[in-house]
Amino acid sequence: MKKRIVLSAIITAMGMLFAINGCVSTRVAEKSGSELWSDNCIRCHNAPASSVYSPDQWEAVAMHMRIRVGLTEVETKKIMEFLKAGN
Amino acid sequence: MNMKTFTLLTTLFAISSSLWAQNTSTEETNSSGNSGDTKFVLTGYGYSGMTIEGKGKEQKSTFGETGFAPIFIWKASKNLFFEGEVEFILLGEGLDIELEYANVNLIMNKYMTLRAGKFLSPFGTFQEKLHPAWINKMVSKPLGFGHGAVGPDAEIGFDLRGGVPLGSSKMNYSLYVSNGPILRTGVEEENEAGMLEYGNIVDNNKNKAIGGRIGFLPFSNSSLEIGVSAQTAKGGNNDSIFFYNKKNNAMDALEYNNIGTKSYALDLSYVKSLAFIKGTLDIKGQLNNVTVDKADYADLIDSTKYSFKNVTQSYYVQLAYRPNMLRNKFFNKTELVGRYSALKSPEESKWGEEETQLTIGLNYWASWRSVIKFNYQITQNGGNESEPAILIQFVTGF
């Protein structure tokens, strides 16, 4: 009984997630740096403003985040360029 | 190092070298001359707090754990990178200094980075990505996820990792070879027989741990991530332990060289800013399970040997909501958090326990990485009375 409730809760939750995100089908590679910044940073922490680091520092921080969370190369480049441009 | 591990390492090295060579060759042709410029960042965070524990006349309060963790990040060239973190913590009556991680990273190609050194275990997401005080939404860590965690918390070895786009989805992976865990046999601390020790600088045997994690993000907005992690290793070595066995009225030898360990973790994260709730919803959870092969341990007080089913499990689920789309400048910086965690270690061992914990919290974010946290926490240990605590912590990143 308990297992059925847990299973039903998981299936319902997954269904809701797919319903909320169902309309999102843009290819990751086609997204802008600003979209990728807002999508990815908040997965772990609040999104930083571009003024937090200098353009040179953003290069090092972007590489750190690429390796730590497994960002793709395209995502990393776009996010870094977006943050560097905002300085 | 056994043949299987040697073959795996050699294969990884051969694939990596070949891919790096191709990548470097392309980049050298296209290079604009900027490669090799060093970019350095000194960042990190500091924290301090207060704890009020117990109830009634037994209540006590203390200004709590204070720590400081500088993080050093170097981008040495287009492909070479170093990261290191040292954590200084005032614990009990002393200062605890720990090298959290220090590793050299070589980006081999678009999809693959090889790193070597000490790194946080990619076993689930909490230890690797969510445990720092400026990221963790609670003052405390979930049961079984702090120091002495269920499952590996740090590795010393080699790790191959990366992110791969899959159209409107993506995945990330990590595959590592490390010193792995050491099985505590009870020689140094009798009550810890059967426990595993992680992050070992020197291995106790020739076997190497092999582990990894695969994370899948099905939506292009990266809101949902589901991960599976596993590690397999041998924890014992060839040393025998001799003790007087009262039952046989003779000396007895205990062997641990074939004692294996198998661990797995499942993790889930869903983070999304939703206009209809005027804020960001953050759901996280992780389940860790560690199984150690059955072994005999010596009970030096009774002069007997004993064994037990050595399975340890912990999990947590956390829900956070921050109304960051509200116009009110005070309320859009507040965050409500709730977390339930549980830990179950072998009942028949000398360190067995069963605990559950419920924590509710209110955070106020002064900046993107500075927060003051107020937590109310109830910990239930087996059938004992619950222990309430109020935890306050101020954290600032720099």
Side-chain angles (χ1 to χ4, degrees):
Chain A
M1 187 65 186
K2 197 178 169 186
K3 274 186 183 173
R4 275 188 192 175
I5 294 170
V6 173
L7 198 63
S8 308
I10 291 171
I11 292 168
T12 311
M14 295 302 279
M16 284 170 70
L17 289 182
F18 278 88
I20 290 170
N21 293 280
C23 53
V24 182
S25 60
T26 321
R27 290 172 66 87
V28 177
E30 289 163 5
K31 294 192 138 199
S32 68
S34 126
E35 284 175 298
L36 291 167
W37 163 80
S38 116
D39 286 348
N40 284 285
C41 300
I42 61 165
R43 286 163 52 196
C44 297
H45 54 71
N46 297 314
S50 57
S51 57
V52 172
Y53 295 114
S54 69
D56 271 0
Q57 288 177 321
W58 275 123
E59 285 192 26
V61 173
M63 199 178 247
H64 172 65
M65 295 317 303
R66 173 182 175 177
I67 295 167
R68 180 62 64 91
V69 297
L71 294 176
T72 64
E73 186 191 45
V74 173
E75 284 179 318
T76 310
K77 278 186 179 166
K78 285 187 173 180
I79 293 171
M80 185 178 72
E81 291 310 321
F82 164 71
L83 290 165
K84 282 169 79 173
N87 252 269
Chain B
M1 190 181 297
N2 60 25
M3 201 58 201
K4 206 166 67 180
T5 313
F6 179 75
T7 311
L8 178 72
L9 273 175
T10 312
T11 311
L12 285 180
F13 183 74
I15 294 169
S16 306
S17 305
S18 147
L19 291 168
W20 185 41
Q22 289 171 23
N23 196 44
T24 310
S25 155
T26 315
E27 281 180 357
E28 275 170 1
T29 317
N30 302 334
S31 174
S32 58
N34 290 329
S35 181
D37 291 347
T38 296
K39 314 282 196 260
F40 170 72
V41 180
L42 173 59
T43 182
Y45 59 97
Y47 55 92
S48 189
M50 186 182 189
T51 306
I52 304 164
E53 283 178 320
K55 47 192 171 186
K57 287 180 182 175
E58 289 178 6
Q59 193 175 71
K60 56 185 179 181
S61 65
T62 180
F63 286 104
E65 197 176 283
T66 296
F68 160 61
I71 299 171
F72 305 84
I73 297 172
W74 273 279
K75 182 189 174 202
S77 72
K78 268 184 178 175
N79 302 313
L80 199 58
F81 174 79
F82 172 86
E83 60 171 14
E85 178 183 332
V86 185
E87 189 159 14
F88 301 87
I89 313 172
L90 283 176
L91 261 182
E93 292 175 0
L95 174 67
D96 186 49
I97 303 172
E98 191 172 342
L99 181 66
E100 283 277 292
Y101 55 85
N103 51 69
V104 181
N105 298 260
L106 192 59
I107 296 181
M108 319 294 281
N109 61 42
K110 282 181 182 178
Y111 312 113
M112 199 179 277
T113 298
L114 177 68
R115 65 177 174 171
K118 182 176 183 186
F119 49 90
L120 299 172
S121 298
F123 187 73
T125 50
F126 188 84
Q127 185 57 27
E128 190 182 36
K129 297 166 189 165
L130 307 172
H131 89 276
W134 75 277
I135 295 177
N136 184 9
K137 295 181 185 297
M138 295 294 190
V139 178
S140 63
K141 294 177 176 120
L143 290 172
F145 287 81
H147 286 285
V150 178
D153 54 0
E155 310 291 343
I156 297 177
F158 289 92
D159 179 28
L160 205 56
R161 54 172 37 218
V164 183
L166 302 167
S168 56
S169 307
K170 63 180 179 182
M171 62 164 283
N172 51 64
Y173 70 92
S174 170
L175 176 66
Y176 64 85
V177 181
S178 70
N179 283 341
I182 289 179
L183 176 72
R184 290 185 188 161
T185 55
V187 171
E188 287 174 2
E189 186 58 62
E190 198 191 338
N191 290 338
E192 292 180 353
M195 283 176 93
L196 294 176
E197 198 177 316
Y198 296 100
N200 298 296
I201 300 167
V202 180
D203 205 350
N204 66 334
N205 57 29
K206 66 175 183 180
N207 173 270
K208 295 287 160 276
I210 297 172
R213 175 180 179 274
I214 292 178
F216 179 60
L217 296 92
F219 306 130
S220 67
N221 59 22
S222 301
S223 56
L224 177 68
E225 180 171 5
I226 302 161
V228 182
S229 318
Q231 186 192 77
T232 176
K234 280 195 173 157
N237 60 15
N238 289 326
D239 297 343
S240 300
I241 292 173
F242 295 95
F243 79 108
Y244 172 70
N245 190 336
K246 199 166 67 179
K247 196 177 169 187
N248 302 338
N249 194 22
M251 292 299 285
D252 209 344
L254 301 175
E255 310 280 349
Y256 298 99
N257 55 336
N258 281 321
I259 302 301
T261 71
K262 286 181 181 60
S263 313
Y264 70 84
L266 305 171
D267 61 83
L268 182 141
S269 167
Y270 180 74
V271 186
K272 182 92 177 81
S273 294
L274 298 165
F276 70 91
I277 56 167
K278 294 201 178 295
T280 303
L281 184 68
D282 187 327
I283 303 168
K284 293 216 161 46
Q286 187 174 322
L287 165 75
N288 291 354
N289 189 95
V290 175
T291 304
V292 180
D293 289 347
K294 207 162 187 179
D296 288 328
Y297 303 98
D299 186 326
L300 300 176
I301 297 169
D302 292 342
S303 294
T304 54
K305 61 183 179 184
Y306 68 101
S307 65
F308 52 90
K309 191 183 174 192
N310 196 343
V311 179
T312 309
Q313 200 173 73
S314 67
Y315 69 88
Y316 82 93
V317 282
Q318 181 178 283
L319 176 68
Y321 167 66
R322 181 175 169 188
N324 53 337
M325 292 178 194
L326 288 180
R327 285 186 183 176
N328 185 294
K329 284 184 179 174
F330 176 81
F331 287 110
N332 67 17
K333 290 175 181 169
T334 58
E335 183 175 46
L336 290 168
V337 202
R339 185 185 72 199
Y340 181 80
S341 64
L343 166 68
K344 191 177 180 185
S345 41
E347 207 178 317
E348 292 153 344
S349 70
K350 297 198 172 186
W351 42 279
E353 61 180 335
E354 197 169 342
E355 277 187 306
T356 58
Q357 190 177 74
L358 179 68
T359 314
I360 50 169
L362 176 66
N363 298 334
Y364 181 80
W365 290 92
S367 78
W368 74 284
R369 55 183 171 180
S370 298
V371 60
I372 183 158
K373 310 174 195 173
F374 301 93
N375 290 179
Y376 179 70
Q377 184 168 281
I378 302 168
T379 308
Q380 187 92 39
N381 188 335
N384 298 338
E385 205 175 338
S386 59
E387 288 174 28
I390 294 169
L391 311 162
I392 302 165
Q393 186 181 53
F394 179 65
V395 190
T396 185
F398 57 84

